Amino acid sequence: MSRILVVEDESAIAELISINLRHAGFDVTLASSADQAQYEVDRVLPDLVVLDWMLPGQSGLALARQWRGALRTKELPIIMLTARAEETDKVSGLDAGADDYLTKPFSTNELLARIRAVLRRKAPEALDSQVEIGGLNLDPGTRRVSREGAEVKLGPTEFRLLHFLMTHPERVHSRSQLLDRVWGDHVFIEERTVDVHVKRLREALERVNCARMIETVRGAGYRLTQQVNMLQA
């Protein structure tokens, strides 16, 4: 379930957004100020932030710049939702680091569509869409993995690891990156724990001849390759 942080100081609007996002299957956290928003981001990194411009204390624009300048939050998906509708405002919001900009009054259906679009671009593992690579199919909704009708039994950690790798194929991910994105960025465990779970995942995928899809890139980390047929040749 995708975690959405809604930063909005008008309680009626915040509640409207929250109800609609929860109904659409998102896990929602509300913050009414920049300080509270920073606290929530420090506590658990969300999959996406819906950010108002006009906030008590620090503005949403300054907060977006702050997040873009920090290593931990520089890739955090941000949608600005604000009453500031001038072209110069939109340019400022996008230049500050927002991935999308929506003005009030707004349609909740449009906001949901924009959230899904940004997540597809920046955090596809946060969505519940099925993923298929090299004949290997992963369904987040039913938490099933299969190939040509043969089901692969995975533990919850191995499932999340495979989901992340399949939604970011052909990219090399370091152990620390995998820990942040799969285990959570505030979970303190040794990086070698990743190796243990990769080994378990490969063993499970061996039953459907897909173990070699997960490559070890020496000195760098792990990569899921789409060239499964070539690897099996």
Side-chain angles (χ1 to χ4, degrees), residues 157-158 161 183 189 192-203:
T157 301
E158 286 73 35
L161 177 59
W183 278 261
I189 55 178
R192 290 294 173 181
T193 301
V194 175
D195 300 337
V196 174
H197 288 280
V198 167
K199 181 175 182 292
R200 291 176 183 171
L201 178 57
R202 281 174 170 155
E203 289 171 350

Side-chain angles (χ1 to χ4, degrees), residues 72-85:
R72 178 171 171 264
T73 52
K74 68 178 182 178
E75 299 296 334
L76 178 62
I78 301 170
I79 296 179
M80 293 208 74
L81 179 63
T82 173
R84 303 186 64 142

Side-chain angles (χ1 to χ4, degrees), residues 133-136 147-148 205-215 225-233:
I133 294 178
L136 187 66
R147 183 168 189 249
E148 297 178 351
L205 292 176
E206 185 63 45
R207 299 164 194 162
V208 290
N209 298 317
C210 290
R212 294 177 66 187
M213 290 177 71
I214 301 176
E215 296 181 333
T225 178
Q226 301 184 59
Q227 305 299 319
V228 62
N229 293 329
M230 183 181 297
L231 288 170
Q232 291 176 355

Side-chain angles (χ1 to χ4, degrees), residues 18-164:
S18 175
I19 290 171
N20 281 272
L21 289 180
R22 289 191 173 109
H23 183 71
F26 294 102
D27 180 15
V28 182
T29 301
L30 299 179
S32 59
S33 68
D35 287 345
Q36 189 179 357
Q38 187 62 59
Y39 169 80
E40 293 295 344
V41 167
D42 289 342
R43 187 176 64 87
V44 178
L45 195 65
D47 294 305
L48 181 142
V49 178
V50 177
L51 179 63
D52 189 14
W53 184 318
M54 307 297 288
L55 295 169
Q58 188 179 24
S59 71
L61 192 72
L63 195 56
R65 289 198 184 102
Q66 178 179 308
W67 286 337
R68 284 292 175 259
L71 180 62
R72 178 171 171 264
T73 52
K74 68 178 182 178
E75 299 296 334
L76 178 62
I78 301 170
I79 296 179
M80 293 208 74
L81 179 63
T82 173
R84 303 186 64 142
E86 297 295 326
E87 180 182 1
T88 54
D89 295 327
K90 296 177 182 178
V91 171
S92 295
L94 295 170
D95 283 347
D99 297 286
D100 203 349
Y101 193 104
L102 185 61
T103 57
K104 301 173 184 175
F106 63 97
S107 158
T108 53
N109 286 334
E110 182 180 2
L111 175 60
L112 284 167
R114 287 174 181 255
I115 287 173
R116 293 189 182 102
V118 171
L119 287 175
R120 279 196 300 271
R121 292 199 309 269
K122 299 200 67 176
E125 76 280 1
L127 295 172
D128 285 339
S129 304
Q130 290 191 37
V131 190
E132 191 274 328
I133 294 178
L136 187 66
N137 183 277
L138 183 147
D139 186 344
T142 62
R143 302 194 70 81
R144 289 181 177 174
V145 177
S146 62
R147 183 168 189 249
E148 297 178 351
E151 190 168 345
V152 181
K153 299 294 184 182
L154 296 177
T157 301
E158 286 73 35
F159 184 91
R160 291 196 305 271
L161 177 59
L162 180 61
H163 189 199
F164 178 77

